[in-house]
Amino acid sequence: MVQVHSPLPLFKLFIVYGELFSYLIAEVIVLKKILQVLSILMTILLLFSYAYAYESDIKIYCDGVLLQTDSPPVLASDRTFVPIRHVMTAFGADVKWVERLREVIVTKSDTTIRLSVDKNTAWINGAPIYVDSAPFIVNDRVMVPLRLIAENLEYEVTYDENTCEIKI
């Protein structure tokens, strides 16, 4: 007796594998689209983060003497941020970092200023004030808005747009 194989199971096999192959192709296309969208989003985020904060050529003078810092001033949100320890030490202020709270405390004479990283509230002699640009950390340096600190320590701050110089 001769056995005859029906082509039907082979046909079903092609249909099943064909559907599986089509499904895999569709998944690859979806993944490619997701990767394209993610690439575009990452590019946009990088562009905005660069626009948010960048090192500047601003020079800071204290009583006519150019301040040298290990980190340059940073422009962010139309504010000049400086590494607090170097600048405040030049003013004769005491600077303390509280790691647990991510907070910096500046004390000079009878004025105490507390600023927390990434928070929009500063405390001047125990009284809260709103800060429109929160301090942040760059290269292990706490960057704070210069004008806020200097003026609350009763220094006059001037900025010359033509020379990019801040005089305190």
Side-chain angles (χ1 to χ4, degrees), residues 40-58:
I40 291 169
L41 287 175
M42 291 295 289
T43 302
I44 290 170
L45 286 173
L46 286 173
L47 289 174
F48 280 114
S49 66
Y50 180 74
Y52 172 74
Y54 61 93
E55 292 180 2
S56 68
D57 293 327
I58 291 176

Side-chain angles (χ1 to χ4, degrees), residues 60 72-76 79-88 91 95-97 102-106 113-119 122 131-138 141-150 153 166:
I60 302 170
V74 171
L75 290 177
R79 300 281 181 259
T80 301
F81 286 76
V82 295
I84 193 162
R85 184 169 302 279
H86 286 88
V87 174
M88 290 301 107
F91 288 111
V95 179
K96 181 180 168 189
W97 170 248
R102 293 178 43 113
E103 180 178 80
V104 65
I105 302 170
V106 178
I113 303 169
R114 287 181 27 224
L115 295 142
S116 296
V117 173
D118 298 327
K119 296 203 176 157
V131 180
D132 63 354
S133 299
F136 54 90
I137 296 177
V138 174
R141 299 289 178 258
V142 178
M143 305 299 279
V144 299
L146 176 62
R147 186 174 295 274
L148 171 78
I149 300 293
L153 292 175
I166 296 175

Side-chain angles (χ1 to χ4, degrees), residues 17-89:
Y17 280 120
E19 288 176 11
L20 180 61
F21 185 74
S22 296
Y23 175 77
L24 290 175
I25 294 293
E27 289 296 313
V28 168
I29 291 171
V30 168
L31 287 175
K32 284 177 79 174
K33 287 183 181 184
I34 289 172
L35 286 175
Q36 288 174 341
V37 169
L38 286 175
S39 296
I40 291 169
L41 287 175
M42 291 295 289
T43 302
I44 290 170
L45 286 173
L46 286 173
L47 289 174
F48 280 114
S49 66
Y50 180 74
Y52 172 74
Y54 61 93
E55 292 180 2
S56 68
D57 293 327
I58 291 176
K59 295 180 180 112
I60 302 170
Y61 291 88
C62 176
D63 293 327
V65 178
L66 178 64
L67 293 180
Q68 299 292 331
T69 61
D70 61 351
S71 295
V74 171
L75 290 177
S77 304
D78 292 329
R79 300 281 181 259
T80 301
F81 286 76
V82 295
I84 193 162
R85 184 169 302 279
H86 286 88
V87 174
M88 290 301 107
T89 303

Side-chain angles (χ1 to χ4, degrees), residues 139-168:
N139 298 327
D140 293 328
R141 299 289 178 258
V142 178
M143 305 299 279
V144 299
L146 176 62
R147 186 174 295 274
L148 171 78
I149 300 293
E151 288 181 350
N152 279 288
L153 292 175
E154 298 183 6
Y155 289 98
E156 183 179 332
V157 179
T158 60
Y159 175 67
D160 185 340
E161 270 187 52
N162 297 325
T163 60
C164 293
E165 293 177 346
I166 296 175
K167 294 179 182 171
I168 305 169

